[in-house]
Amino acid sequence: MTSSDRSQAVDEHRTYAIRTYGCQMNVHDSERLSGLLENAGYVRAPEGTAEGEADVVVFNTCAVRENADNRLYGNLGRLAPMKTQRPGMQIAVGGCLAQKDRDTIVRKAPWVDVVFGTHNIGKLPVLLERARVLEEAQVEIAESLEAFPSTLPTRRESAYAAWVSISVGCNNTCTFCIVPALRGKEKDRRPGDILAEVEALVAEGVSEITLLGQNVNAYGSDIGDREAFSKLLRACGAIEGLERVRFTSPHPRDFTDDVIAAMAETPNVMPQLHMPLQSGSDPVLKAMRRSYRQERYLGIIEKVRAAIPHAAISTDIIVGFPGETEEDFEQTMHVVREARFAQAFTFQYSKRPGTPAAEMDGQIPKEVVQARYERLVALQEEISWEENKKQVGRTLEVMVAEGEGRKDGATHRLSGRAPDNRLVHFTKPEAEVRPGDVVTVEITYAAPHHLLAEGPTTAVRRTRAGDAWEKRNAAPAQPAGVMLGIPTMGVPAPLPAPTGGCSAVG
């Protein structure tokens, strides 16, 4: 390719597609990557574009999920012949696996053009251009955060709901988790910067925000204020037009009474809590380096339920951690029975290279882990169904969502989220309803993972968020959203936690 050909290619509207794997932090980073690329003149590949037809394909990787490296190299292998047939196509790999493996990626897949890490996502457009001009792979991994992600351009996936990152990194040393080594020590944003971003989002029509951090309720440790997180929740409550505030994911160690009080006393903070358990056994929690024990955990749940009776509490649990005995597992089952989680993300332990747990004695045979896992899932399914049945007869305000009900077209229903984040399918009303609008419905049926409102909608409230969604979709046709490699549970309701129980988080 001559220099003139190269210049001409750069001037054209090059398309991009992003494949995202892992936790909610990765999903939010992909919104930043989209914003950066569009700010640099790239255009999203239209929906339905075949793999390999985009001019730039970006893999935003995870190092926590099982077989993450095999999945990445398999995808890269499929793209290799396509790249050969399409001169000018570029492939970039970023995220946690890129931060961990660095030069290994280019050695195993020499057709990759750019490798970048978790600390320097803002460099992607520059690295792509440098790789094009120099015609050689660019590997750039920063050892510390270069710029807080929220200072970067963003192309958000939802017109009515948004992630707002309040911190990055994690100070914990859980033996099963490699994330702190890849995302670094915790760094907190200034409260004023966070609130300014929230206010700007609300001005654009966003009515629901989710505060995001690796260990979200440790917020303040970097700025020297132990009550900073509860103060931030209360400050969000004073923002006019902000209807729903959520956060993910907290750590039991840092979950203090002032946070519970702020949740209970701030009307727009939703009655929902995702609190990772990981294990109910004190010896296993010690081996995991989790700085709480069963009594402390159940005490938090008891306090939350006392202050917020209708709160829906979810969790993460790892089954089969090295050294886990049958008695240890029964302690986990005990906590599940006592806590009565609305939902639990349950995972079979598997080794993660680079973590202390991978080298521990007492690795549990696969068949034992599988049997325990099935018992835990069966128990949680029963509890989830029983807890959901308690919602029957209740009248709830549901924020209409986009793309949550896969069968909505066939059933003539719409879907959305209740204040406690339960998924609700409801009869489509005669009045026009847009994502971001709010409907009032009565729950008539409960399943383990969703609720039904089969009667007529009793009220429809058109919102500024619905106006924002309508405005976005009335604009000249835009290519579809980032191609995500994980299932969604609403935008931006918490996503299923990464395999291995990190949950991005705690």
Side-chain angles (χ1 to χ4, degrees):
M1 189 184 221
T2 66
S3 58
S4 60
D5 291 334
R6 199 157 43 231
S7 298
Q8 182 179 2
V10 172
D11 291 338
E12 293 173 354
H13 288 300
R14 290 169 56 79
T15 60
Y16 75 91
I18 299 178
R19 304 280 186 186
T20 306
Y21 306 98
C23 68
Q24 53 267 43
M25 294 293 288
N26 279 22
V27 175
H28 190 39
D29 283 349
S30 287
E31 291 185 327
R32 304 292 180 194
L33 293 172
S34 294
L36 285 161
L37 290 171
E38 293 187 10
N39 201 49
Y42 293 83
V43 177
R44 288 193 183 198
E47 185 174 2
T49 299
E51 189 175 54
E53 289 187 2
D55 296 309
V56 174
V57 179
V58 182
F59 291 93
N60 189 6
T61 64
C62 171
V64 175
R65 287 180 179 270
E66 189 171 7
N67 297 319
D69 51 350
N70 291 337
R71 188 175 187 183
L72 171 65
Y73 294 121
N75 287 328
L76 292 176
R78 283 193 296 274
L79 286 180
M82 303 176 193
K83 189 172 190 291
T84 301
Q85 296 168 11
R86 296 189 62 230
M89 178 183 174
Q90 290 184 293
I91 300 173
V93 179
C96 290
L97 194 64
Q99 186 79 21
K100 181 172 77 76
D101 285 357
R102 305 173 183 239
D103 296 328
T104 304
I105 294 173
V106 174
R107 179 171 56 82
K108 289 186 174 182
W111 54 92
V112 169
D113 299 277
V114 171
V115 179
F116 62 102
T118 59
H119 298 309
N120 64 332
I121 64 174
K123 289 288 188 66
L124 176 59
V126 171
L127 293 173
L128 286 169
E129 182 61 14
R130 190 185 301 164
R132 187 196 320 279
V133 171
L134 299 179
E135 297 184 342
E136 63 181 24
Q138 300 298 303
V139 179
E140 188 167 311
I141 306 291
E143 296 302 327
S144 60
L145 193 67
E146 293 186 346
F148 204 94
S150 292
T151 64
L152 302 174
T154 306
R155 202 308 184 175
R156 297 187 184 271
E157 291 307 300
S158 171
Y160 55 89
W163 306 102
V164 175
S165 183
I166 69 171
S167 65
V168 295
C170 180
N171 294 335
N172 293 318
T173 57
C174 300
T175 56
F176 55 80
C177 184
I178 199 171
V179 168
L182 303 179
R183 289 192 176 265
K185 293 292 185 181
E186 180 177 327
K187 292 187 179 296
D188 296 335
R189 290 179 73 189
R190 291 166 49 90
D193 293 341
I194 297 169
L195 294 172
E197 181 180 356
V198 174
E199 289 171 348
L201 289 167
V202 172
E204 294 171 6
V206 168
S207 62
E208 175 178 319
I209 60 114
T210 299
L211 303 176
L212 185 63
Q214 302 286 158
N215 182 8
V216 71
N217 62 321
Y219 176 75
S221 64
D222 185 46
I223 58 179
D225 185 352
R226 293 180 59 84
E227 296 189 353
F229 186 62
S230 61
K231 292 174 182 176
L232 183 62
L233 291 177
R234 293 183 186 276
C236 287
I239 296 177
E240 186 176 354
L242 180 58
E243 296 194 18
R244 296 186 173 190
V245 177
R246 307 186 191 277
F247 57 89
T248 194
S249 288
H251 192 295
R253 181 195 67 186
D254 303 298
F255 208 82
T256 49
D257 290 349
D258 61 297
V259 173
I260 297 174
M263 292 176 65
E265 296 166 10
T266 310
N268 64 356
V269 176
M270 294 294 97
Q272 173 222 342
L273 175 64
H274 183 76
M275 179 73 78
L277 169 65
Q278 310 303 8
S279 174
S281 162
D282 287 355
V284 173
L285 288 170
K286 182 178 180 180
M288 289 178 167
R289 290 189 198 150
R290 302 287 289 179
S291 50
Y292 56 89
R293 299 297 179 259
Q294 180 188 120
E295 183 179 4
R296 159 74 172 156
Y297 186 93
L298 288 175
I300 294 172
I301 301 301
E302 184 178 357
K303 287 181 179 180
V304 171
R305 293 207 189 282
I308 315 167
H310 288 301
I313 301 174
S314 57
T315 195
D316 303 323
I317 301 173
I318 300 173
V319 178
F321 188 80
E324 180 188 75
T325 65
E326 182 64 23
E327 182 180 351
D328 292 325
F329 176 68
E330 284 297 337
Q331 288 301 305
T332 296
M333 298 284 274
H334 169 70
V335 174
V336 170
R337 293 186 186 99
E338 290 293 311
R340 299 196 65 80
F341 299 114
Q343 189 176 21
F345 300 106
T346 54
F347 307 98
Q348 299 183 38
Y349 173 78
S350 58
K351 290 184 179 181
R352 295 294 181 271
T355 64
E359 306 301 322
M360 287 183 176
D361 295 332
Q363 301 287 329
I364 311 297
K366 172 66 176 176
E367 60 273 16
V368 175
V369 178
Q370 181 68 34
R372 290 176 183 171
Y373 174 80
E374 290 174 1
R375 286 163 56 196
L376 176 60
V377 168
L379 174 62
Q380 183 56 51
E381 286 280 300
E382 178 184 336
I383 292 172
S384 294
W385 199 358
E386 290 172 355
E387 291 301 305
N388 274 1
K389 286 176 182 177
K390 294 178 182 178
Q391 307 300 310
V392 174
R394 291 188 66 195
T395 298
L396 302 176
E397 280 200 333
V398 175
M399 181 177 289
V400 183
E402 185 174 25
E404 293 248 32
R406 288 174 291 179
K407 299 180 181 178
D408 283 351
T411 58
H412 303 291
R413 293 181 181 133
L414 297 176
S415 299
R417 294 280 169 176
D420 64 8
N421 204 43
R422 283 182 165 94
L423 178 62
V424 180
H425 304 300
F426 59 93
T427 302
K428 188 175 182 179
E430 292 184 5
E432 179 189 14
V433 179
R434 309 158 302 177
D437 287 340
V438 176
V439 299
T440 304
V441 298
E442 180 179 334
I443 303 303
T444 57
Y445 175 81
H449 302 292
H450 68 266
L451 304 173
L452 286 182
E454 300 166 298
T457 300
T458 57
V460 174
R461 177 163 61 86
R462 293 173 68 85
T463 65
R464 292 172 60 255
D467 293 343
W469 180 90
E470 187 172 20
K471 181 179 180 181
R472 175 186 283 198
N473 286 272
Q478 296 289 329
V482 172
M483 298 179 182
L484 299 181
I486 56 179
T488 59
M489 286 180 54
V491 182
L495 297 169
T499 304
C502 169
S503 76
V505 67

